[in-house]
C-alpha cells in the first residue's frame, strides 16, 4: 500500500505552538503534583521506594519514570522489567461493568503506577484482551481487562463501563494503593475501541487512549483532548479504516496529540492475539503520555519507516 499524502491540516509544523502550550500545561501540573507529594505524602511511600538508588536528577525532572531506559528490544519483548501478579474481580462485587482481571507490578519500590482499563469488542469477553494484561503490567502499569455487562453493549455503554472500571480500580480495588489516580488511560477493541473514544470524549483528564480497530457510528471526535493513538487494520472488513479509523483520526484535533497506525495485511481481529507491533507502539504511547516519559518518544517521533508490519503511520509528532 502506498503512503497517503498528508493534508495541510495534518502538517505538524502548523501546530508546534499548540503542542508546546498543551504539553507545558501537563508538565506544569505534574510538577506541581510532584512538589505536593514531596511536601506532604512521601512518608506514605514504602521505605524501599525512598531508599531506592534512583538517579536524583532524572527523578527530579520526572518522578513518573518507571523502569530502565527503553530499547527497541525491551519494548518488543514479551515481558518487561517488572514482575507481575493478577487478581480476579467478580461481576457480583462491582457496579457499572462486568468485572474482570487486574494485572499489576508486584513491587512498588519505584512508587505508584499509572493504570489502564481495557474493553473487549462486540460479543467478546475479557479473554480476547488478556494478553495485554501481563505484557503492559510488566512494563510498569496496572492493567484492568474488563468484561462488559452484556456481550452486545454498544460503544457508548462500553465507554461508560470503562469509566466505571477506572473508578473501581482507583477507589475500591485491592491494588488501589499502587495506582496514581491522576495518570489513567483506556484501550479497547472494535466496539470497545469505540468505547475508548466515548470515554475520552467524556473524560478529558485521561492521559492516553488507544482504540484498536475501533467501530463507532459517530465519526466526529473533534472534542477529544486526550492523546489518542488509533490502530487500524489494512484488511479490516468489519470496521474498515476508510469508514472508521481514518475518519476518527482526522476528526481529533491536533492539539490533543494523536497518531494513526495501520497494520499491514491485518484483519479486524488482529488485536485479539499477541502482536509485537501493537505492543511496541502501545507501550511507547502509554509511557509517553501516562508517565510523561520522554525516553519513549524516540519510538513514535519521527514516525517509523521501513517496517513491513505497518502500511501507514501518521501523527502530530510531539516533541519534548
Amino acid at each position: 500500500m502506498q503512503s497517503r499524502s498528508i493534508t495541510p491540516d495534518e502538517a505538524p509544523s502548523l501546530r508546534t505552538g499548540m503542542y508546546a502550550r498543551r504539553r507545558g500545561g501537563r508538565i506544569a501540573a505534574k510538577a506541581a503534583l510532584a512538589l505536593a507529594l514531596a511536601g506532604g505524602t512521601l512518608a506514605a511511600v514504602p521505605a524501599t521506594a525512598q531508599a531506592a538508588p534512583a538517579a536524583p536528577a532524572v527523578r527530579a525532572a520526572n518522578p513518573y519514570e518507571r523502569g530502565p531506559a527503553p530499547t527497541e528490544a525491551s519494548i518488543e519483548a514479551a515481558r518487561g522489567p517488572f514482575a507481575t501478579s493478577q487478581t480476579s474481580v467478580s461481576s457480583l462485587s462491582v457496579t457499572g461493568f462486568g468485572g474482570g482481571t487486574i494485572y499489576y507490578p508486584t513491587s512498588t519500590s519505584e512508587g505508584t503506577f499509572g493504570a489502564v482499563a481495557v474493553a473487549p469488542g462486540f460479543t467478546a469477553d475479557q479473554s480476547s484482551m488478556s494478553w495485554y494484561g501481563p505484557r503492559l503490567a510488566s512494563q510498569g502499569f496496572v492493567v484492568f481487562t474488563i468484561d462488559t455487562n452484556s456481550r452486545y453493549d454498544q460503544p457508548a455503554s462500553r465507554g461508560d463501563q470503562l469509566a466505571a472500571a477506572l473508578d473501581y480500580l482507583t477507589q475500591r480495588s485491592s491494588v488501589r494503593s499502587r495506582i496514581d489516580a491522576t495518570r489513567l488511560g483506556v484501550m479497547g477493541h472494535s466496539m470497545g475501541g469505540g468505547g475508548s473514544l466515548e470515554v475520552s470524549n467524556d473524560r478529558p483528564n485521561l492521559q492516553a487512549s488507544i482504540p484498536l480497530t475501533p467501530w463507532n457510528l459517530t465519526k466526529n471526535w473533534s472534542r477529544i483532548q486526550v492523546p489518542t493513538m488509533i490502530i487500524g487494520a489494512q484488511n479490516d472488513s468489519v470496521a474498515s479504516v476508510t469508514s472508521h479509523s481514518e475518519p476518527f483520526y482526522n476528526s481529533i484535533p491536533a492539539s490533543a496529540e494523536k497518531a494513526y497506525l495501520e497494520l499491514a495485511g491485518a484483519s479486524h481481529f488482529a488485536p485479539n492475539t499477541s502482536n509485537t507491533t501493537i505492543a511496541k507502539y502501545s507501550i511507547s504511547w502509554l509511557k509517553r503520555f501516562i508517565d510523561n516519559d520522554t525516553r519513549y518518544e524516540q519510538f513514535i517521533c519521527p514516525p517509523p519507516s521501513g517496517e513491513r508490519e505497518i502500511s501507514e503511520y501518521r501523527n502530530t509528532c510531539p516533541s519534548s
Side-chain angles (χ1 to χ4, degrees), residues 47-111:
T48 52
Q50 297 181 45
V58 171
R59 282 297 166 84
N62 179 18
Y64 308 111
E65 286 185 3
R66 300 291 181 265
T71 64
E72 196 90 12
S74 74
I75 60 172
E76 290 182 349
R79 292 292 182 273
F82 293 91
T84 66
S85 189
Q86 64 189 72
T87 184
S88 296
V89 178
S90 169
S91 61
L92 301 177
S93 65
V94 300
T95 56
F97 64 106
T101 304
I102 302 172
Y103 303 83
Y104 58 94
T106 56
S107 172
T108 56
S109 63
E110 292 189 42

Side-chain angles (χ1 to χ4, degrees), residues 1 9 47 49-50 99 106 132 161 166 241 303 318:
M1 178 176 179
D9 66 301
Q50 297 181 45
T106 56
Y132 294 91
Q161 292 179 62
L166 288 174
V241 294

